[in-house]
Amino acid sequence: MSKGRFITFEGSEGCGKSTQVRLLAERLAALGHRVRTLREPGGTPIGEEIRHTLKHSHNNAAMTAEAELLLMNASRAQIVREVIRPALAAGEIILCDRFYDSTTAYQGYGRQLDLEKVKAVIEFAVGETKPDLTLFLHVPAEVSAERLRSRQTNLPFVRDRIEEADQKFFKRVAHGFGVIAATEPQRVKFINGAQPVEAVCTNIWELVRPLLPPVGR
Ligand code: Z5A
C-alpha cells in the first residue's frame, strides 16, 4: 500500500456517490486527515475539457464507443500522473467519484466493446495506480431513475450525451458492476445505496476506518 490511501466510489447514476464522497471527506477532515476529493472523467484542467467533450459538447452526438473509451482514459492518464500519484506519495487520502471500474461497466458491458481491449487501455492509463478500496453503491434501476428525476426538477436542464442511451444500455452497465464486484471481492465492497443517507454513511465508515493511516503521517 502507498503512503496515502486511494478509495473509489462506483455505481449507477444517482446511486449517491457524490453525496457519500462529500460526507466521508468532511468526516476524515474533521479527524485531522489530509483528504482530497476528485471526480472522473475530469479532475484536472485537461480532464475537465475532456469531460465537456464527452458529456455536453454540441459536437459530440456522433462520438463512437471507441473514441469514448479512449477519451475516458486520456482524462484518467492525466489525473493519475498530475494529481493522484503525487497526492498518494504525500500521504493524502483520495476519494474519487468513479474510476476505472466505470470504464469496464459503461464502455465494456454498456457499449459492448471487447473486454480484453478495454482492460488493456485501462492498464495503459493507470499503470500501477490502483484503488486500495472501491465502494460499490448499489441501487435498483427504479431508485436511480427516481432520484435523477427529482434532482432534474430542481435544476436547469443540461443535455448529457451519456444519459441519452437507452434502458438496455443501463441494464448492461448495472450487470457489469455486479460482475466486477463479484470478481474482486477483496477490493470492491458492495453497499446497499437504497438505504437512508446516514445508514449508507455508517456502512462506508465501517469499511474505511480499518484502512486509515495514522493522523498527521
Ligand atoms: N463514465 C463512463 O462512461 N466511463 C468512465 O470511465 C467514467 C464515467 C469514469 C459521469 O457522470 C458519466 O460518465 C456517467 C458514467 C460515465 N454517466 N452516466 N450516465 P457524472 O459524473 O455527471 O454523474 P454520475 O457519476 O453518473 O453520478 P450522479 O448522477 O451525479 O449521481 P451520484 O453522484 O451517484 O449521486 P448523488 O448526486 O450523490 O445523488 C443523486 C440524488 O439522490 C441527489 O438528489 C441526492 O440528494 C439523492 N440521494 C443521494 N443519496 C441518497 C439516499 N441514500 N437516499 C435518498 N436520496 C439520496
Side-chain angles (χ1 to χ4, degrees):
M1 208 177 269
S2 61
K3 215 172 148 203
R5 297 291 182 271
F6 184 22
I7 301 171
T8 59
F9 290 69
E10 298 280 5
S12 306
E13 32 311 305
C15 67
K17 296 175 284 77
S18 315
T19 302
Q20 296 298 330
V21 165
R22 180 176 50 76
L23 292 172
L24 181 58
E26 286 170 6
R27 187 167 193 168
L28 291 170
L31 291 172
H33 290 282
R34 282 181 302 143
V35 57
R36 185 187 294 245
T37 62
L38 300 170
R39 70 171 178 183
E40 276 211 336
T44 63
I46 289 170
E48 290 297 322
E49 287 193 11
I50 294 172
R51 180 183 174 91
H52 176 74
T53 301
L54 280 159
K55 285 166 64 87
H56 308 303
S57 164
H58 294 305
N59 301 315
N60 71 11
M63 187 180 294
T64 64
E66 290 80 1
E68 183 179 274
L69 168 70
L70 293 169
L71 285 172
M72 291 290 177
N73 283 281
S75 171
R76 181 164 301 134
Q78 188 67 31
I79 198 173
V80 162
R81 289 157 185 81
E82 185 177 330
V83 182
I84 296 176
R85 286 182 188 166
L88 289 176
E92 293 184 27
I93 300 174
I94 295 180
L95 309 182
C96 195
D97 191 337
R98 297 195 183 280
F99 197 55
Y100 61 60
D101 296 313
S102 283
T103 298
T104 307
Y106 283 82
Q107 283 66 56
Y109 286 87
R111 302 287 189 217
Q112 300 180 296
L113 291 175
D114 182 288
L115 287 171
E116 284 306 312
K117 288 189 179 137
V118 169
K119 191 172 170 208
V121 172
I122 290 171
E123 283 181 0
F124 183 62
V126 304
E128 295 298 308
T129 305
K130 311 237 160 111
D132 299 304
L133 172 68
T134 296
L135 300 161
F136 167 45
L137 274 59
H138 177 265
V139 291
E142 50 284 11
V143 173
S144 165
E146 178 48 39
R147 285 188 190 167
L148 293 182
R149 247 195 313 276
S150 62
R151 189 173 60 183
Q152 271 154 16
T153 54
N154 299 323
L155 294 171
F157 175 76
V158 184
R159 173 185 162 268
D160 183 330
R161 184 188 58 84
I162 301 171
E163 288 179 7
E164 289 169 351
D166 62 20
Q167 282 313 304
K168 286 185 186 159
F169 169 82
F170 289 106
K171 275 194 178 150
R172 291 195 298 271
V173 170
H175 168 71
F177 275 126
V179 174
I180 294 164
T183 309
E184 282 190 76
Q186 282 297 103
R187 171 179 69 86
V188 184
K189 301 298 181 190
F190 179 98
I191 303 220
N192 175 5
Q195 304 172 92
V197 171
E198 299 70 30
V200 179
C201 216
T202 301
N203 289 175
I204 288 177
W205 185 243
E206 282 162 7
L207 292 163
V208 168
R209 194 171 45 182
L211 278 188
L212 295 176
V215 173
R217 200 177 92 175

